Amino acid sequence: MTVPIVLAGARGHGRWHLDNIRRLQDKGIVRLAGICELTPLTADEIPEGLGTPEQSADFAGLLDTTGARIAVICTPIPTHTDLALTAAARGVHLLLEKPPAPSFAEYRRMADGVAAAQVACQIGFQSLGSHALPRIRELVAEGTIGEVQGVGGAGAWARAEAYYRRAPWAGKRRLNGVDVIDGALTNPLAHAVATALALAGAPRAEDVTGIETELLRANDIESDDTSCVRVAAAEGLQVTVAATLCAEHPDEPYVVVHGSRGRITFWYKQDRVLLQRAGHGPEEMEFGRTDLLENLVEHLTDGTGLLVPPDVTGAFMKVVEAIRQAPDPAQLPADAWRLLPDERRRVVPGIEGLVAAAADTLALYSELGAPWAAPNGPRKEVST
């Protein structure tokens, strides 16, 4: 039997989920039973082959009338917990987009409620479905790069000023008194943080002992667009992730595992790995990945283990909480960024080099000598 699905949030990133559901529907695995949007999708907005799913702005009612077994939630960040619990109360299993919540308290409320309802919940960190991860773990366990000394992450992306006008919550730390925390590290480049923590063997909340943050912004927004974070893990490893949405020359984000005799670089959007080690030439590898919705369906039908249950995003949520508690991001001085008029986006000259250096050395921007990230600037250390 095909599994009936309701998609909450079908525009924006939700369009990716529509296409993915169509792919799985073509395989006979799922059926799109309903779409929850404040304004119904037009026929042109629904990919061909998905038929005419029921549409409603009433999420709970739609779950009831469609008999949905899975809900895919791709709505604004502050709505995630309440919608997840609405589905869980009806015994509906979940694929919940990242970040799962805007605060650690909301994350715990969601995770505890889902567990109490005994429904399956998958968090949408697609990079954690990559087949590269188990192979990297094998290489580390075999001592291929020696003793692991730390994990770095780098994300140098570009976003136009219009990106922050796409929705009322975009680029906000709070909206109408409610946490949003839509920053570079917590939303668009959240995969870099979650993947780095996973490869450090520190995915759970209890794996984190301390967090340092440096949050800045070139754009006229509340949240950070140029940031770095350093996590102290329980096993003594450090994880440093640097990110920007103001790259002059954007590139693919990656995570690098540093060893005493080599390093492993993982470009997580491409499922591509580069192994470099003493006494050997570089080795490149490419991998497939398991789709998280397909994995959730297999979990329900034959007991396959979930790849990204809420517990393995606890360390990531500790980072979200540290960013939430940190001072508001500091505006970069006018001479630290410039506007590209044709693209209507702000760039920070040289930021790509700093992002890469942070991932390479596990240092923060201020420690790398960035003049706009002075030690007495917007830095916050949180002990957990």
Side-chain angles (χ1 to χ4, degrees), residues 2-211:
T2 59
V3 177
I5 289 179
V6 161
L7 172 61
R11 293 189 173 94
H13 183 58
R15 290 193 293 267
W16 183 90
H17 285 288
L18 279 174
D19 288 336
N20 193 44
I21 291 169
R22 178 183 60 181
R23 180 183 67 83
L24 297 181
Q25 186 164 301
D26 289 345
K27 293 175 69 172
I29 294 173
V30 305
R31 173 177 60 85
L32 182 62
I35 295 173
C36 183
E37 270 287 356
L38 296 178
T39 304
L41 270 64
T42 65
D44 290 343
E45 291 179 291
I46 300 175
E48 187 177 350
L50 284 176
T52 54
E54 184 177 341
Q55 297 199 59
S56 173
D58 178 2
F59 182 58
L62 191 61
L63 295 176
D64 292 339
T65 58
T66 60
R69 195 169 176 210
I70 291 176
V72 177
I73 297 175
C74 185
T75 54
I77 302 165
T79 67
H80 284 185
T81 293
D82 285 342
L83 291 179
L85 295 180
T86 295
R90 288 162 171 75
V92 177
H93 306 282
L94 292 157
L95 174 61
L96 179 62
E97 258 301 344
K98 58 80 193 165
S103 70
F104 194 80
E106 283 292 276
Y107 157 76
R108 279 270 43 106
R109 186 165 74 91
M110 178 277 296
D112 292 345
V114 164
Q118 297 184 317
V119 300
C121 180
Q122 182 103 278
I123 307 299
F125 283 107
Q126 293 290 339
S127 62
L128 300 185
S130 177
H131 302 164
L133 268 72
R135 181 56 183 144
I136 293 171
R137 292 186 180 112
E138 286 176 0
L139 291 169
V140 168
E142 292 164 0
T144 305
I145 59 170
E147 184 178 350
V148 174
Q149 299 176 325
V151 179
W157 277 0
R159 292 293 183 267
E161 291 176 329
Y163 174 79
Y164 301 106
R165 297 193 294 270
R166 74 191 192 283
W169 53 269
K172 294 286 197 300
R173 280 172 69 78
R174 295 167 194 86
L175 183 63
N176 300 324
V178 177
D179 288 323
V180 176
I181 320 300
D182 178 39
L185 288 166
T186 55
N187 194 5
L189 287 158
H191 284 87
V193 179
T195 307
L197 290 166
L199 288 178
R204 292 174 167 78
E206 58 267 28
D207 296 327
V208 175
T209 59
I211 301 171

Side-chain angles (χ1 to χ4, degrees), residues 173-174 213 215 321-329 380 382:
R173 280 172 69 78
R174 295 167 194 86
T213 62
L215 310 176
E321 182 67 9
I323 291 172
R324 186 184 77 88
Q325 293 181 358
D328 287 346
K380 177 69 179 291
V382 178

Side-chain angles (χ1 to χ4, degrees), residues 29 43 177 289 348 377:
I29 294 173
R289 71 167 56 187
V348 178

